[in-house]
Amino acid sequence: MFKYILAIAFFIHHSLFTIHLSAQTTEKVYLSGTGSDQTVQWDFFCTGGMNANKWTKIAVPSCWELQGFGKYDYGFAKDSVRGREKGLYKHRFNVPVNWKGKVINIVFEGVMTDAEVKVNGKSAGEVHQGAFYAFKYDISKLLNYGKENLLEVSVAKHSANQSVNEAERKADFWIFGGIFRPVWLEVLPAVHIEQVAINAKADGNFSANIKTNVAPESVTIQLYSSANEKFGNPIAMQWDKASNAITVKNQFASPKQWNAESPVLYKAVIAIYKNGKELHTVTKQFGFRTVEVKQRDGIYVNGVKVKMKGVNRHAFRPESGRTTSKQISIEDVLLMKEMNMNAVRMSHYPPDDHFLDVCDSLGLFVMDELAGWHGNYDEPTGKKLLKEMIDHDVNHPSIIFWANGNEGGHNLALDKYFTEFDIQQRPVVHPWQLFGGFDTQHYREYNYGIGNYENGKDIVMPTEFLHGQFDGGHGAGIEDYWEKMWHNPLSAGGFLWDFADNAVVRKDKNDSLDTDKHRAADGIVGPHHEKETSFYTIKEVWSPVFFERREIAEGFDGKLNIENRYHYTSTKECSFSWKLKRFDIATSKETEGIATAPDIQPGAKGVVQIPLPADWKNYDVLYVTVKDRYQKELFTWSFPISSPATTGARMIVKEGNNIITTSEKDSLLTVTVKDVMVVLNKNNGLLVSVKNSKGELPFNNGPVLQEGANNFKGFKQYKEGNKLVLESSFNQKESYNTLKWTIYPSGWVQLQVNYFPAAYFTNFAGINFSFPENEIQSVTYMGDGPYRVWKNRLKGNQFGVWTKTYNNTEAGEAPWIYPEFKGYHSNFYGGYFFTQTNRFTVVTETEGLFLRLLTPAWKTDQWHNYEPLFPSGDISFMNGISSIGSKTQRNETTGPMGSKNIFYDYEKDPSRALHINLYFNFSAQ
């Protein structure tokens, strides 16, 4: 027995030594480029559409439409108009003589859709049908060694298998054609490892299924950490010669676990031997982690209950369609992580391998999906493609779910094969169905369900929610949704729809960007990752460090209540910094420092102490920034210190030596002071016109109450000291809304409006003025910014001073310039409004006021869900604003914040009225 142990020990040592000195590894020789950023020119012939019926060159990999060939189609196109062209590819390559005797596979990572492959005029194997799945052929016997070889690939983008078209091409996304993922030669020893599937549990339990083409005599496995240090003792097993497959098991002590917050990776070096000689070695990356579904409870990763802060993602770029690169994958995942997401769903097909590599290394939970938008593969086709998907993706620790199709595109006969093919036995979901204990219904309203969803007994995890068409969904509603999800024990979170606007470059339309109208304008970011407002709303709402609301007042002691919403990480691993800032007319003043990170465990609440200086009250705002362990910002929160009245007092000038003069004609009162001439209507109090020494300011026709009675009556004009006042009279029945103009000798003009909304429920409440859109150049304001808001999307901004230059941007549409100029802006303190030649100033003493700038373009749909509602006029000062719906929901069904504004009129008691107090400086001096 002792001699046997010595022999095994010597064998292991000798074997591992051999691995590092003379290991026969798999060679990977690209025939194409590696991605959209590195391509190779092949000969190409397209049978229809653009640039058809001639041999030319094409970049490989690519979607041929983006290279100027064929016909563009969105997945909703009728069969009668769909492009059905084929692409014929030729490529010549050499193989060395010393490859003879080895096994040479040609590997296609993805071809859209049917691929017929020939080498030197001979078929490599059966036609492959299905776009998003890697496949290979053994071409060892077809090659001319030491000579030139000819590869020919015939690609039909419309499949001869109708079930493939139903699953992949009748869908709500762009459909392309071509060899869109890389092609390479896989050079293997005559006896080699064909497949390795690893199941590594969080407790260190390790098993690997290893398959070879010919049975060897033995196998060894050595694990290594990400620092390339050996982990645990090597494993060695004798091989059963009667089989070409073996299962290797072992128990490792105290491995570091993989999760989305700490994505610790290991690699397994697997080698096979015969007669003491190493035949082949492969390296596979993996992570130790356990996925468990507890019915009527939740999803547990490594024993910790987790909630998905997820998004749906297409593999897409405007210039290359479905052809991407590792750099693109890195960019996409980093943007998701920047939004504090922890999960991504592959919609609606398996991704590039490098995307999963990036999710493994940077940390995202992944739902990997067998294609099937609303249709599905037949069973023989689906079984084959499912095996290709699982064989390709099985070792990625980021994948914690499989999805069998989407929204009815589920072939139920395939469910059993997920279990058969996956060594890890991951849970399977049917997106938008109740299956496997998961209620994944899409786009359900807040608090939806009769005996299901929020009112059911199963785990709730919508695989699509808050549809992001144009400026709806995503951030609009997520605060309500997430608070409910976070506190609901049956919620496992969800996946927003979707990550990026899928605007494709149209080679047939002068390289313009096309989202097929509204259909692909669903992103949180634009086609080139332009960040919409919702990007920052999601970033704040999904921050794993949550700050309770805190109004800074006289007794503030620097303590802020926080909650740790990480699943695995203590807040002591984060860093906290603070900054105080004061805004003056010409300058700003600031001081900053570090706060000690409290040790708050996941799911717990605590306090962070900000070490404020003694003069903190002299500043206008406190900023607190939290960064994660990698020094990536989670968010910067802002807490206003000064009130609008405080900052306004530093700007408003009431006293002066200027004489106020008046003249009257009919209903008009003209007031002149300094270089300002104001004309007011004495009957209704409206501002008719205003001029200064530089000319007329086109700000007029206000204040007009929105969704309120404009019953300003009984005006009286009088002097109050050196001020001039024009004031309406209050009558509880006929003129219960009042306004008052006050003109000061300094040239400043004050407007006070007290009013009651016209109804208990209103879309908005406030006052409007007219201002021609073509006259405004820019606005510099103090308040929350720089992004516009809706009533159900208030988070994501910071308090400060912001300058916005006019643009006509509409979310989800060219030219994708953000932030949008038009819209509502929250917590307005005051600002400067610039025309080409003039300007005026507005300052308020009213807290919580919204500034409305102009009106975005009107949009609607057949359900009247997405309708951006704005008051009349052009510039408004509002106490209440409207919310926004989405493609799939009315605004009131996105949560309480989506409902209308509510105000009880208290029988028109003037002390209970809403107030707006504004100061204007119209002077050019």
Side-chain angles (χ1 to χ4, degrees), residues 261-276:
E261 295 168 19
S262 301
V264 178
L265 294 169
Y266 290 83
K267 61 184 177 181
V269 178
I270 303 112
I272 56 173
Y273 301 86
K274 187 172 184 179
N275 298 325

Side-chain angles (χ1 to χ4, degrees), residues 254-517:
S254 304
K256 293 182 179 179
Q257 299 171 353
W258 187 97
N259 61 66
E261 295 168 19
S262 301
V264 178
L265 294 169
Y266 290 83
K267 61 184 177 181
V269 178
I270 303 112
I272 56 173
Y273 301 86
K274 187 172 184 179
N275 298 325
K277 180 182 177 182
E278 178 265 317
L279 303 176
H280 187 211
T281 182
V282 298
T283 300
K284 296 294 181 181
Q285 187 168 262
F286 71 97
F288 285 95
R289 63 106 183 85
T290 299
V291 180
E292 181 184 8
V293 176
K294 296 184 179 180
Q295 295 295 328
R296 299 194 172 196
D297 183 4
I299 180 80
Y300 287 76
V301 177
N302 305 337
V304 176
K305 192 174 185 178
V306 295
K307 295 179 186 284
M308 302 299 112
K309 298 185 294 184
V311 70
N312 286 265
R313 182 252 189 193
H314 276 294
F316 188 85
R317 275 300 186 280
E319 292 76 18
S320 58
R322 300 271 174 255
T323 303
T324 66
S325 66
K326 185 166 187 178
Q327 182 58 38
I328 284 173
S329 292
I330 292 170
E331 291 171 1
D332 284 6
V333 171
L334 285 176
L335 276 172
M336 294 173 195
K337 298 285 285 188
E338 188 179 344
M339 284 185 279
N340 292 313
M341 293 177 173
N342 67 359
V344 59
R345 177 188 173 206
M346 302 295 95
S347 54
H348 294 287
Y349 41 80
D352 302 86
D353 192 48
H354 49 69
F355 184 80
L356 296 173
D357 286 340
V358 176
C359 292
D360 291 343
S361 61
L362 294 182
L364 281 178
F365 296 126
V366 172
M367 179 180 289
D368 201 357
E369 185 160 310
L370 182 74
W373 186 68
H374 283 183
N376 55 258
Y377 302 114
D378 59 46
E379 185 174 353
T381 304
K383 180 180 179 181
K384 178 177 180 291
L385 296 177
L386 176 59
K387 189 171 191 314
E388 289 175 351
M389 179 180 80
I390 293 179
D391 283 353
H392 187 266
D393 297 348
V394 66
N395 294 321
H396 290 281
S398 56
I399 299 172
I400 64 170
F401 301 103
W402 302 114
N404 181 1
N406 170 73
E407 292 185 355
H410 324 290
N411 184 338
L412 305 185
L414 298 177
D415 286 327
K416 59 181 176 290
Y417 299 120
F418 284 90
T419 303
E420 178 182 332
F421 297 152
D422 180 19
I423 186 177
Q424 296 185 22
Q425 304 289 286
R426 296 169 174 93
V428 179
V429 300
H430 291 178
W432 101 329
Q433 286 190 346
L434 173 56
F435 178 81
F438 288 94
D439 191 342
T440 60
Q441 182 70 280
H442 291 178
Y443 307 120
R444 293 305 89 200
E445 286 84 354
Y446 183 89
N447 201 33
Y448 167 90
I450 301 175
N452 65 357
Y453 209 62
E454 291 293 332
N455 299 307
K457 306 293 186 182
D458 296 284
I459 301 165
V460 178
M461 187 181 67
T463 36
E464 295 176 27
F465 77 109
L466 291 176
H467 191 291
Q469 180 177 286
F470 298 129
D471 205 29
H474 290 156
I478 195 171
E479 185 176 354
D480 280 336
Y481 267 76
W482 186 245
E483 286 306 300
K484 192 172 186 66
M485 287 173 166
W486 182 255
H487 292 101
N488 178 8
L490 285 180
S491 172
F495 296 81
L496 296 166
W497 183 268
D498 72 339
F499 175 60
D501 292 332
N502 281 199
V504 68
V505 172
R506 291 296 297 258
K507 291 295 180 182
D508 56 344
K509 295 183 179 180
N510 300 314
D511 286 353
S512 60
L513 287 170
D514 184 6
T515 57
D516 197 43
K517 300 178 181 178

Side-chain angles (χ1 to χ4, degrees), residues 479 546-552 560-561 637 639 795:
E479 185 176 354
F546 172 81
F547 278 75
E548 288 185 5
R549 177 177 173 176
R550 179 63 192 261
E551 295 293 321
I552 307 297
L560 295 171
N561 294 331
W637 290 262
F639 302 89
K795 289 196 170 179

